Amino acid sequence: MRRKATTLLALLAFLAVGAPAHAAQQAQPRTIAAAVEGAQAPKFRECFDGRCTITVRKPVSFRISERFGFTRLTVSRHGLSVRVKAKGPGVSGGASITKGGVSVLNGISIRIVSISRSKATVRFAPVN
């Protein structure tokens, strides 16, 4: 009985004081890192050369190489279609694409990989 009481008191003292500071600091970054790794934030820098796959839930805009005649693309989901607007110095263009569809804007192929009421996955690739 005395051993159980001593163990219980030691446990309560540990809980009252808390875990060592270094243990708490080590646990927190792992949780944050796991949350960040699980998120799928679009990486628009990868799209600069006209080759990337992104998932959009709300309108996004990113830069692309001038070699396509445009310098910026804006992608937005509208119901079960995706609209892509392209702008550059003195020029603009656009396309509306439905599920399974493909469009080409000045040498960039735009394909809907998947689409739902909440998000769309779009693949861009240069056409040569």
Side-chain angles (χ1 to χ4, degrees):
M1 176 82 170
R2 188 175 192 171
R3 180 181 263 174
K4 289 182 181 178
T6 305
T7 304
L8 180 60
L9 287 174
L11 179 60
L12 289 173
F14 177 78
L15 292 174
V17 173
H22 69 279
Q25 289 174 352
Q26 288 176 349
Q28 187 175 5
R30 287 185 194 147
T31 304
I32 293 169
V36 171
E37 288 173 6
Q40 292 182 334
K43 297 177 182 173
F44 299 126
R45 288 184 180 174
E46 294 176 1
C47 295
F48 185 78
D49 67 352
R51 183 182 309 279
C52 66
T53 301
I54 62 172
T55 299
V56 295
R57 295 181 185 275
K58 59 183 183 178
V60 296
S61 181
F62 54 90
R63 291 181 38 85
I64 61 169
S65 174
E66 293 177 359
R67 73 181 179 117
F68 299 109
F70 303 112
T71 56
R72 180 162 296 279
L73 291 180
T74 302
V75 181
S76 57
R77 184 192 49 76
H78 294 272
L80 292 176
S81 68
V82 171
R83 290 187 189 150
V84 179
K85 294 181 183 176
K87 292 185 180 180
V91 64
S92 65
S96 183
I97 310 153
T98 58
K99 185 176 182 175
V102 178
S103 185
V104 177
L105 284 174
N106 276 14
I108 300 178
S109 169
I110 306 159
R111 177 180 305 269
I112 305 300
V113 176
S114 67
I115 191 164
S116 69
R117 293 265 178 218
S118 62
K119 64 183 178 180
T121 301
V122 183
R123 180 172 296 139
F124 296 91
V127 177
N128 291 333

